[in-house]
Amino acid sequence: MALRVLVVGGGLMGAAAAWRLAARGHRVTVLERFSPGHDRGSSYGTSRIFRLAYPEPAYTGLALRALPLWRLLEEECGQRVLTLTGAVDHGSPGAVDRLAAVLAGAGRSARRLTPAEVADRWPGLRADTAALYHPEAGRVHADDAVAALLKAAGQRGAEVRHGVRVTGVRRDGDGVTVVTDAEEALWADAVVVAVGGWAPTFLPDLVTGLPPMRVTQEQPVHFPVPDALDWPSFIHHPGAGFHQPGGLYGLGSVEGVKIGLHGVGRAVDPDRRDRTPDPAAVERLRAYAEEWLPGVAGVEPEPLTCLYTTTPDEDFVIDRQGPVTVLAGFSGHGFKFGPAVGELAADLVEGRPGAARFALGRATPAR
């Protein structure tokens, strides 16, 4: 039976949910507060890492589910959004061993490299102690991916409305009524709420068991070098010659080689954040590049900002209570999974159970 579904939020996760719901024949309307291609949330920009290598098999499995869906999206839209360049994980031997074991358990290709072998293949990148190369990794063009998902949803019959701010959601009989700032009252069988950094203030009145979420402004940079698109994605895990908790990520993009520290930004209100670059954060990344990235030597970094919405365990929230499905808390590592999260959302809307790992009301560590 086709359901009437409203999707609140047209960033990556909302767009992915709309696409997969529309593909299953449901009547979908996306309500997005901002204009197409906006830079207010967590989904904008030109680059996000795609990788299978995770220390937890559940995430490797979710990435494996996402990979063919990214390719299906490209077929439906006639546009490339995912480029596989391979990726290098390096740093702590223990971290590298764990990634190698999980990839092997999933039957995926990976090869150990010495730092000298990394430097020989990618002269711009210096590896630390132990390294692992896995080819099924690379970059997603973020802006193009969101646009493609919304286009694909539209091609499947979804209505996409920009410039519509949702001011309230209430349960109404067997469904929900969503109220907009234009005083529209829209009824549906179900609602999917995917509002990114606005989740901590938007969701508590709708569902119970929501874990605490911290919204931060992160400060990555681009180094505009001409060979940026030839670089692999890379993760530097702390514990050997580098001791930044959370580690550092990097990848090529059309704007240059992008690097950033994971989850170190200051807490912000997404409606009132100051995007002025943090000179200390930029200097930390410049110093890192001087030591570990000879391929960007002498190039001035160009700062940018992005939002993280982080749960205490950095696991996502993908769950349903009544007619309300929640997609939230993607903790700075959710983009690669977008189409698979859309599938999970569609399953929940149709009444299938969700994963305990992503459940509302789960036990989470104290921060």
Side-chain angles (χ1 to χ4, degrees), residues 2-13:
L3 300 173
R4 178 82 177 92
V5 186
L6 295 170
V7 178
V8 180
L12 173 78
M13 298 308 181

Side-chain angles (χ1 to χ4, degrees), residues 5-306:
V5 186
L6 295 170
V7 178
V8 180
L12 173 78
M13 298 308 181
W19 176 45
R20 300 320 302 151
L21 283 161
R24 298 186 189 190
H26 300 297
R27 294 169 309 193
V28 179
T29 299
V30 179
L31 305 175
E32 166 55 46
R33 175 180 174 183
F34 301 112
S35 60
H38 72 87
D39 63 356
R40 300 291 297 277
S42 301
S43 299
Y44 75 94
T46 62
S47 58
R48 296 292 189 279
I49 287 179
F50 180 85
R51 60 189 173 106
L52 305 181
Y54 263 83
E56 303 91 358
Y59 281 111
T60 293
L62 193 61
L64 284 167
R65 188 172 179 181
L67 180 54
L69 289 168
W70 282 120
R71 294 309 188 204
L72 176 61
L73 175 67
E74 292 175 330
E75 289 176 13
E76 291 194 9
C77 291
Q79 180 182 11
R80 177 59 59 90
V81 297
L82 169 63
T83 302
L84 296 184
T85 61
V88 177
D89 283 83
H90 67 101
S92 164
V96 170
D97 289 346
R98 176 61 179 162
L99 296 176
V102 172
L103 289 172
R108 314 314 292 190
S109 174
R111 184 161 65 96
R112 293 177 184 273
L113 299 173
T114 66
E117 289 172 323
V118 171
D120 183 61
R121 182 164 179 177
W122 301 283
L125 177 63
R126 178 181 167 225
D128 176 9
T129 310
L132 184 74
Y133 171 71
H134 39 107
E136 294 175 292
R139 62 177 178 268
V140 181
H141 192 299
D143 288 336
D144 288 352
V146 175
L149 287 163
L150 292 174
K151 177 182 176 181
Q155 290 173 171
R156 295 279 193 167
E159 179 185 7
V160 180
R161 297 178 58 190
H162 286 90
V164 179
R165 180 177 180 181
V166 171
T167 57
V169 178
R170 63 176 183 268
R171 301 188 189 198
D172 188 352
D174 293 332
V176 291
T177 294
V178 173
V179 180
T180 74
D181 57 355
E183 298 185 357
E184 293 179 281
L186 307 173
W187 189 90
D189 297 292
V191 63
V192 177
V193 181
V195 293
W198 289 263
T201 55
F202 192 92
L203 287 172
D205 292 337
L206 293 181
V207 295
T208 60
L210 191 72
M213 288 182 281
R214 185 170 185 262
V215 180
T216 58
Q217 178 171 282
E218 305 296 322
Q219 182 78 78
V221 300
H222 285 114
F223 290 91
V225 292
D227 67 342
L229 295 179
D230 298 327
W231 283 55
S233 298
F234 54 94
I235 305 287
H236 194 167
H237 300 271
F242 174 62
H243 301 286
Q244 172 65 47
L248 178 139
Y249 66 88
L251 69 162
S253 78
V254 296
E255 296 173 283
V257 174
K258 178 183 177 181
I259 65 170
L261 297 170
H262 177 67
V264 299
R266 60 183 176 85
V268 295
D269 177 335
D271 282 320
R272 297 176 177 83
R273 64 189 179 107
D274 180 0
R275 300 187 188 209
T276 303
D278 177 351
V282 174
E283 182 54 38
R284 289 167 71 188
L285 293 171
R286 180 189 287 110
Y288 176 89
E290 288 178 357
E291 183 174 1
W292 296 100
L293 302 177
V296 302
V299 177
E300 187 66 18
E302 298 177 354
L304 63 153
T305 62
C306 64

